[in-house]
Amino acid sequence: MKSTGIAAAALLIGWTAPVEAAAVASPPSPAEQAARCIALGDLRLPDTSIVSAALVPAKATESNAAGETPGYRSFCRVVARVKSAPDSDIGVEIWLPVEGWAGVFHGNGNGGFAGVLGGGYSGMADGLRRGFATATTDTGTAPATPLEGDALIGQPRKWRDWGRLSTHVMTTTGKAITKAFYGEAPKRAYYTGCSTGGQQGLIESLYYPDDYDGILVGAPVINRTWGHAAVLWDYAAAHRTPGSLLSPAKLKLLNKAAIASCWRQGHGLAGDPFVTDPMACRFDPAVLKCEGAASDACLTAPEIATARAFYSGPTDRNGKPTYFGWLPGSEMPDTFGWSFLQAPINGEPPFSALFKWVFGADWDWKGFDFDRDMPAVEVQLDMVVNDATRGSIAPFAARGGKLIIYHGLADTLVAPAQSVAFYERQARQLSGARKIEDHARLFLAPGMMHCGGGAGPDAFNATLGIPPRPPADDARHDIFSALIAWTERGEAPDHIIATKFSRADEGAIDMQRPLCPYPQKPVYRGTGSTRSAANFACVGGVGAGAKN
């Protein structure tokens, strides 16, 4: 994803302001709005240069033969760069609604190696729609891009900005620009992000507890070094022999068999194209072993070995797990599915640039030995990019902060089990389930892939852009609205209704299911359509560590 300037930013906004945004009694004229925005170009902040400050005029919603082209409110678009060290250069972009500011600052995350500002635009679009001053950062990694990190070889300060520092810089800089524009500081602050953006949000909750009142993170990268190692592990398994690669046909076969096996074990609902509770399911791909000639109806021995490696995740030479694997039901040939994990990017495994930071530009993945080489990776990078594996949200909780984490159970880029491990660790540090659920909740989404997509209901977060927006903006259907309601009114979310829209009939709903706060799980009541969320209940413990 690349930044394409004001026009692209405006097109991404997509919605008019909600009715609850504050109104301005005497709207300034267009000339006054433009002058007020352009004046930010002369703003002086420590270590900061204002690259541009320009007014983006409002655009009304237009109706045409294809339906409606949504409009957007007028905003002041500011791009800044913060250079607090010779080898640090953090880009920040902020959109400031000219009218109807709700008194809120809204920070947004990026993805992958980041390096571009456009990775945060979908979240910014939703923030602007709500009347928020909304910002993002390139995490200081330009000229890297979300999928390419070779440009960061030999630049440890950029690694540190990416792993820890840049989101706080975005937040302090964004709040200062917001105060300069409106003449008053924000009354509240929220953060939203997924993947690398999820990691950014956790870092804020752990190390900068005063930055935000509410934080929403999806599929957060927690252990960055082992997360990249898991992708390398999968790629190596799929390329071990010429016959090790799993074709799209074999992936569909594997997926169908895994789902059926989990149904029989009681971890899914018969007829669903996904698994409800894959963490409790056990599946051995050897049940598909070819007894005769190889075909698309069975798996060869090398293919079984690849599938087992994907399920197990990295292990040491004695077979002991060193990280998490992917869950039954995640075997999809979709974008960022198992096919992506097997496909080279410029002839190399996905996201493998991180290993070049340690071993140099001529590093060859084929010679990587996990037992021998991962300790060297940890020595050089653990204290630089893995801060989300440490720390406590206790200070954030003490000041009343609210944290919501969500994770798709069919994710194949960030292991869902690490979000559960993070939540349970924080629960222990906060002295048990009752206390953690007062400040943090985890929602696991059956059948959803990385941040969205997959066979399960995935539309429940208005900040993502893709998948589609939820069918309603209320706290029952939109997890960001639920975070706001919890933070401002104390209305803790006891479930979120996730929606699956029809692929054949745009706008039509295929099914809805409740996402339950961990460790509760959605259970069918036994009557009524399985496509209706009303026929399911969240059942199980009250919080992390509780018994059913």
Side-chain angles (χ1 to χ4, degrees), residues 101-105 133 174-189:
W101 180 48
V104 173
F105 175 80
K175 286 183 177 181
I177 294 173
T178 299
K179 183 177 181 180
F181 188 66
Y182 296 113
E184 59 179 297
K187 297 179 179 64
R188 293 182 305 282

Side-chain angles (χ1 to χ4, degrees), residues 154 213 303 455 458 495:
D213 302 295
E303 290 168 342
D458 62 341
H495 72 281

Side-chain angles (χ1 to χ4, degrees), residues 147-162:
L147 296 180
E148 296 281 359
D150 281 11
L152 303 180
I153 297 170
Q155 300 194 61
R157 174 54 192 254
K158 287 186 177 291
W159 311 338
R160 189 59 170 158
D161 286 344
W162 177 62

Side-chain angles (χ1 to χ4, degrees), residues 55-124:
L55 184 71
V56 179
K59 181 179 178 182
T61 298
E62 297 178 354
S63 298
N64 51 49
E68 286 193 341
T69 300
Y72 48 85
R73 65 173 70 209
S74 177
F75 66 97
C76 178
R77 178 179 183 256
V78 180
V79 177
R81 304 213 70 84
V82 183
K83 301 179 181 181
S84 58
D87 49 354
S88 178
D89 185 2
I90 298 171
V92 176
E93 181 168 341
I94 183 167
W95 298 348
L96 302 149
V98 173
E99 299 178 48
W101 180 48
V104 173
F105 175 80
H106 172 216
N108 292 273
N110 214 303
F113 292 111
V116 297
L117 291 165
Y121 281 177
S122 61
M124 293 174 72

Side-chain angles (χ1 to χ4, degrees), residues 24 37 96 107 122 133 159 188 203 225 251 286 310 365 477:
V24 176
C37 178
L96 302 149
S122 61
W159 311 338
R188 293 182 305 282
I203 292 295
T225 52
L251 290 177
F310 276 49
W365 68 270
H477 297 86

Side-chain angles (χ1 to χ4, degrees), residues 463-474:
T463 71
L464 283 179
I466 298 175
R469 288 176 53 78
D473 284 331
D474 59 67

Side-chain angles (χ1 to χ4, degrees), residues 90 112-114 137-141 152 155-168 196-204 206-208 221-225 228 354 357 381-390:
I90 298 171
F113 292 111
T137 175
D138 65 2
T139 74
T141 56
L152 303 180
Q155 300 194 61
R157 174 54 192 254
K158 287 186 177 291
W159 311 338
R160 189 59 170 158
D161 286 344
W162 177 62
R164 167 79 176 261
L165 305 175
S166 60
T167 312
H168 179 60
T196 289
Q199 179 189 38
Q200 292 173 248
L202 290 188
I203 292 295
E204 286 293 299
L206 294 166
Y207 299 99
Y208 305 102
V221 182
I222 297 170
N223 191 316
R224 175 65 70 172
T225 52
H228 285 240
L354 179 140
W357 302 353
L381 293 182
D382 178 67
M383 296 303 295
V384 179
V385 300
N386 282 346
D387 280 343
T389 65
R390 297 174 282 271

Side-chain angles (χ1 to χ4, degrees), residues 24-30 32-33 98-99:
V24 176
S26 300
S29 69
E32 291 172 329
Q33 293 173 355
V98 173
E99 299 178 48

